[in-house]
Amino acid sequence: MDKRNDINKFRKKRAMRKFWLNMGILTLIVLVIILVVINWSRIIAPLKDAALDVGKGGFPVDLPGSTDYVLDDLGDNFCLLTDTYFYTYNSNGAMIANVQHGMQNPVLCTNSRRALIYDRRGREFQLYSRSGEVYSASVDETIDFAEISNDDRCAVVTKSTKYSNSLFVFNGEGKQIFRWNSPMQLIDRVIFSNDDNSIYVAVCGSEGGELQYYIMRFDLSNKEGSIWETYVGEHMVFSLECADDGIFAVNSTGVALLDKDTGEITAQNTFLKTVAQIPGGSIRALLMEDSSGNNVLTVYGDGLEAAAAVSLDSVTKVRATNDRLYVLTDKKLICYDKELAVTATYSLDDVYSDLTIIGDSAYLLCFNTVQRLSL
């Protein structure tokens, strides 16, 4: 009898172990399913992109219609925005998608994965991958401007009937995750931190009848107010760039570098010329015009000293990428290194209005074509 009882106990223990093992496996499966559902859009988007039938391509790309185009890069692809449509192409010139956006005053900004289109002075904004729309959303007040992060977060700055401006941040599914209502100051510029967890905001206020400009930092997980606020002068901030060593700010009279954690100004410099273009990218460079209308391309060092400068004739566009500066003129594309030594010159077969650099190629926008130039 005792042996039978021992056998029965053993069988019960084995059955219980099997039961809990099955429950553990079932729980794991449920958790995996939940994670897949939550991240479905991120999982399916690359698979959809990989399955696209994009055709043969080839250059030059003949553009549909005869309207004005805005050219930008989208990772290894390029995209075009018109007043009616948004187009994406792969690096071989094959069209991937074309979408009618339906906006009155569309504006485009991109990163390596996503394109944000917003309706300036309207209320709608849309987020796209290279294969099509990710989501479309709207805000209650009209949009002044918007900016995209390094991933898929979007900052939207609107007018407000109660405040000077309102700043909204949306995640990759179009859900609002942050809001700041500016009570007295106008929002001029915003830029996300490299990890997308903070946002830096340039604002304009006044005191005693004098304009005053500040840069502020907000953590998107903290809705209690700004982490720091730094006065940067009496001139409007044209540009903010988030770099490894700080926040690079440009206004009409100079440049400044702010510590990302404290807001302390760690370096600054002034100039007398007029800022014409800000190439962005890893090289701190400005294209400026002197009082005679001559173009001067200037590169700034780590301490924001003017490390190199070169005078240029007519300039259409300046792009910075991979420690190189590319200057587009009427007849040439000239490549400079960060010391502004010429490393390559390319003669052009037409007059181009814009360019973007993708990998080892330049994509050049003409009136109704896009041409690719190997660098």
Side-chain angles (χ1 to χ4, degrees):
M1 182 66 67
D2 291 340
K3 290 183 178 180
R4 284 199 297 270
N5 287 336
D6 291 341
I7 292 173
N8 289 335
K9 289 180 181 179
F10 173 75
R11 287 174 176 173
K12 288 180 180 180
K13 289 181 180 179
R14 186 173 63 179
M16 287 299 295
R17 283 197 298 267
K18 187 176 181 181
F19 169 77
W20 288 114
L21 177 61
N22 290 337
M23 287 297 295
I25 294 173
L26 181 60
T27 302
L28 180 60
I29 292 173
V30 170
L31 289 174
V32 170
I33 292 173
I34 292 172
L35 288 173
V36 169
V37 170
I38 293 173
N39 297 279
W40 178 252
S41 60
R42 295 189 179 187
I43 295 172
I44 198 65
L47 300 178
K48 288 170 64 179
D49 286 354
L52 287 172
D53 181 10
V54 296
K56 296 180 180 179
F59 289 91
V61 174
D62 293 322
L63 302 180
S66 57
T67 185
D68 291 333
Y69 289 87
V70 175
L71 171 69
D72 212 337
D73 60 288
L74 187 57
D76 294 332
N77 314 281
F78 67 92
C79 57
L80 294 160
L81 178 69
T82 75
D83 58 0
T84 308
Y85 283 89
F86 175 63
Y87 303 92
T88 59
Y89 294 79
N90 69 10
S91 58
N92 294 319
M95 183 186 292
I96 301 172
N98 67 89
V99 182
Q100 190 169 3
H101 53 69
M103 299 184 187
Q104 295 296 318
N105 300 287
V107 181
L108 172 69
C109 47
T110 69
N111 61 26
S112 62
R113 298 180 57 249
R114 296 286 186 260
L116 170 66
I117 303 174
Y118 64 92
D119 196 359
R120 180 178 287 159
R121 297 185 295 276
R123 290 179 168 81
E124 188 177 4
F125 63 99
Q126 300 164 355
L127 189 69
Y128 290 89
S129 69
R130 71 169 193 153
S131 58
E133 183 180 293
V134 177
Y135 71 78
S136 177
S138 62
V139 287
D140 293 333
E141 304 284 352
T142 56
I143 299 173
D144 278 346
F145 68 95
E147 188 61 64
I148 193 167
S149 72
N150 301 293
D151 191 11
D152 52 11
R153 290 182 170 181
C154 299
V156 179
V157 176
T158 72
K159 297 186 182 304
S160 175
T161 55
K162 297 181 180 179
Y163 307 97
S164 293
N165 280 121
S166 292
L167 166 65
F168 301 87
V169 178
F170 298 86
N171 65 13
E173 287 76 44
K175 179 182 178 182
Q176 179 186 316
I177 60 172
F178 179 84
R179 176 176 181 170
W180 176 61
N181 297 312
S182 177
M184 301 294 293
Q185 299 164 315
L186 293 174
I187 302 173
D188 291 328
R189 296 286 183 273
V190 299
I191 189 73
F192 284 89
S193 62
N194 292 332
D195 61 6
D196 290 350
N197 291 326
S198 298
I199 192 166
Y200 300 90
V201 182
V203 298
C204 169
S206 65
E207 185 172 330
E210 298 292 331
L211 293 178
Q212 296 187 335
Y213 292 85
Y214 295 85
I215 296 175
M216 312 167 73
R217 174 190 164 186
F218 294 89
D219 282 356
L220 299 182
S221 60
N222 180 3
K223 300 179 181 180
E224 298 302 320
S226 62
I227 303 302
W228 51 255
E229 180 177 324
T230 300
Y231 174 71
V232 290
E234 300 177 354
H235 301 277
M236 181 178 178
V237 176
F238 293 153
S239 173
L240 291 176
E241 295 282 343
C242 187
D244 290 339
D245 58 347
I247 303 301
F248 180 57
V250 181
N251 65 23
S252 59
T253 62
V255 291
L257 188 66
L258 284 72
D259 185 276
K260 290 185 286 189
D261 295 326
T262 65
E264 178 188 359
I265 297 176
T266 58
Q268 56 187 335
N269 200 347
T270 59
F271 47 71
L272 299 176
K273 302 178 180 67
T274 302
V275 177
Q277 291 187 40
I278 305 172
S282 58
I283 300 179
R284 291 185 178 128
L286 298 177
L287 179 68
M288 295 183 282
E289 291 183 1
D290 61 22
S291 57
S292 301
N294 299 315
N295 293 300
V296 179
L297 182 61
T298 303
V299 171
Y300 292 90
D302 293 338
L304 297 190
E305 73 282 1
V310 60
S311 296
L312 303 171
D313 293 330
S314 60
V315 176
T316 304
K317 191 75 174 183
V318 181
R319 289 276 190 174
T321 183
N322 297 329
D323 292 329
R324 291 288 186 271
L325 286 162
Y326 295 89
V327 177
L328 176 65
T329 69
D330 289 344
K331 298 180 180 179
K332 294 179 180 179
L333 178 63
I334 306 169
C335 178
Y336 296 87
D337 63 17
K338 59 185 179 181
E339 283 80 34
L340 292 181
V342 176
T343 60
T345 300
Y346 306 90
S347 297
L348 303 177
D349 58 356
D350 209 332
V351 177
Y352 297 95
S353 61
D354 201 356
L355 86 154
T356 188
I357 309 297
I358 304 173
D360 56 359
S361 296
Y363 294 79
L364 303 157
L365 176 64
C366 194
F367 172 66
N368 58 358
T369 60
V370 173
Q371 183 62 278
R372 183 176 63 182
L373 176 66
S374 295
L375 302 175

